[in-house]
Short mmCIF file of all heavy atoms in Angstrom, two decimals:
data_model
loop_
_atom_site.label_atom_id
_atom_site.label_comp_id
_atom_site.label_asym_id
_atom_site.label_seq_id
_atom_site.Cartn_x
_atom_site.Cartn_y
_atom_site.Cartn_z
N ASP C 89 -45.17 -29.94 -28.62
CA ASP C 89 -46.33 -30.05 -27.75
C ASP C 89 -46.78 -31.50 -27.62
O ASP C 89 -47.90 -31.87 -27.98
CB ASP C 89 -47.47 -29.17 -28.30
CG ASP C 89 -48.59 -29.00 -27.29
OD1 ASP C 89 -48.28 -28.88 -26.09
OD2 ASP C 89 -49.75 -29.00 -27.71
N ARG C 90 -45.85 -32.34 -27.13
CA ARG C 90 -46.13 -33.77 -26.99
C ARG C 90 -45.71 -34.23 -25.60
O ARG C 90 -44.84 -33.63 -24.97
CB ARG C 90 -45.36 -34.58 -28.03
CG ARG C 90 -45.84 -34.38 -29.45
CD ARG C 90 -45.00 -35.17 -30.42
NE ARG C 90 -43.66 -34.61 -30.58
CZ ARG C 90 -42.79 -35.04 -31.49
NH1 ARG C 90 -43.11 -36.03 -32.29
NH2 ARG C 90 -41.60 -34.48 -31.58
N GLN C 91 -46.35 -35.31 -25.14
CA GLN C 91 -45.90 -35.94 -23.91
C GLN C 91 -44.66 -36.77 -24.23
O GLN C 91 -44.66 -37.56 -25.17
CB GLN C 91 -47.00 -36.84 -23.34
CG GLN C 91 -48.30 -36.11 -23.00
CD GLN C 91 -49.34 -37.05 -22.44
OE1 GLN C 91 -49.02 -37.93 -21.63
NE2 GLN C 91 -50.59 -36.87 -22.86
N THR C 92 -43.62 -36.60 -23.44
CA THR C 92 -42.37 -37.32 -23.70
C THR C 92 -41.90 -38.03 -22.44
O THR C 92 -42.20 -37.61 -21.32
CB THR C 92 -41.27 -36.37 -24.19
OG1 THR C 92 -41.02 -35.36 -23.21
CG2 THR C 92 -41.65 -35.72 -25.51
N GLN C 93 -41.15 -39.10 -22.65
CA GLN C 93 -40.54 -39.86 -21.57
C GLN C 93 -39.12 -40.24 -22.00
O GLN C 93 -38.74 -40.10 -23.17
CB GLN C 93 -41.35 -41.14 -21.26
CG GLN C 93 -42.79 -40.90 -20.83
CD GLN C 93 -42.90 -40.23 -19.47
OE1 GLN C 93 -41.93 -40.17 -18.71
NE2 GLN C 93 -44.09 -39.72 -19.17
N ASP C 94 -38.35 -40.72 -21.03
CA ASP C 94 -37.02 -41.22 -21.34
C ASP C 94 -37.10 -42.67 -21.81
O ASP C 94 -37.99 -43.42 -21.42
CB ASP C 94 -36.10 -41.13 -20.11
CG ASP C 94 -35.83 -39.69 -19.70
OD1 ASP C 94 -35.89 -38.82 -20.60
OD2 ASP C 94 -35.57 -39.45 -18.51
N GLY C 95 -36.14 -43.05 -22.64
CA GLY C 95 -36.10 -44.42 -23.13
C GLY C 95 -34.67 -44.87 -23.35
O GLY C 95 -33.72 -44.09 -23.27
N LYS C 96 -34.51 -46.16 -23.65
CA LYS C 96 -33.19 -46.73 -23.89
C LYS C 96 -33.28 -47.81 -24.96
O LYS C 96 -34.20 -48.64 -24.93
CB LYS C 96 -32.63 -47.32 -22.59
CG LYS C 96 -31.22 -47.89 -22.73
CD LYS C 96 -30.73 -48.43 -21.38
CE LYS C 96 -29.33 -49.02 -21.52
NZ LYS C 96 -28.84 -49.55 -20.20
N VAL C 97 -32.34 -47.77 -25.90
CA VAL C 97 -32.31 -48.78 -26.95
C VAL C 97 -31.67 -50.04 -26.38
O VAL C 97 -30.51 -50.02 -25.95
CB VAL C 97 -31.50 -48.28 -28.17
CG1 VAL C 97 -31.48 -49.35 -29.26
CG2 VAL C 97 -32.09 -46.98 -28.71
N VAL C 98 -32.42 -51.13 -26.35
CA VAL C 98 -31.91 -52.36 -25.74
C VAL C 98 -31.42 -53.36 -26.79
O VAL C 98 -30.63 -54.26 -26.47
CB VAL C 98 -32.99 -53.02 -24.85
CG1 VAL C 98 -33.31 -52.11 -23.67
CG2 VAL C 98 -34.26 -53.32 -25.64
N GLN C 99 -31.85 -53.20 -28.04
CA GLN C 99 -31.42 -54.14 -29.08
C GLN C 99 -31.58 -53.51 -30.45
O GLN C 99 -32.55 -52.78 -30.70
CB GLN C 99 -32.23 -55.44 -29.00
CG GLN C 99 -31.75 -56.52 -29.98
CD GLN C 99 -32.61 -57.77 -29.90
OE1 GLN C 99 -33.83 -57.67 -29.71
NE2 GLN C 99 -32.00 -58.95 -30.04
N VAL C 100 -30.61 -53.75 -31.34
CA VAL C 100 -30.69 -53.28 -32.73
C VAL C 100 -30.36 -54.45 -33.64
O VAL C 100 -29.30 -55.08 -33.50
CB VAL C 100 -29.72 -52.12 -32.99
CG1 VAL C 100 -29.77 -51.70 -34.46
CG2 VAL C 100 -30.04 -50.93 -32.10
N VAL C 101 -31.28 -54.73 -34.57
CA VAL C 101 -31.10 -55.84 -35.51
C VAL C 101 -31.22 -55.30 -36.92
O VAL C 101 -32.14 -54.52 -37.23
CB VAL C 101 -32.15 -56.95 -35.27
CG1 VAL C 101 -31.97 -58.08 -36.27
CG2 VAL C 101 -32.07 -57.47 -33.84
N LYS C 102 -30.28 -55.70 -37.80
CA LYS C 102 -30.34 -55.31 -39.20
C LYS C 102 -31.31 -56.22 -39.95
O LYS C 102 -31.24 -57.45 -39.85
CB LYS C 102 -28.96 -55.41 -39.84
CG LYS C 102 -27.93 -54.45 -39.27
CD LYS C 102 -28.30 -53.00 -39.55
CE LYS C 102 -27.23 -52.03 -39.05
NZ LYS C 102 -27.59 -50.61 -39.32
N VAL C 103 -32.23 -55.61 -40.71
CA VAL C 103 -33.23 -56.35 -41.46
C VAL C 103 -33.34 -55.77 -42.86
O VAL C 103 -32.93 -54.63 -43.12
CB VAL C 103 -34.61 -56.32 -40.77
CG1 VAL C 103 -34.56 -57.01 -39.42
CG2 VAL C 103 -35.09 -54.89 -40.61
#
Side-chain angles (χ1 to χ4, degrees):
D89 192 38
R90 291 178 288 188
Q91 299 181 41
T92 59
Q93 300 292 345
D94 294 333
K96 182 179 179 180
V97 180
V98 295
Q99 185 182 36
V100 177
V101 179
K102 295 295 183 180
V103 296

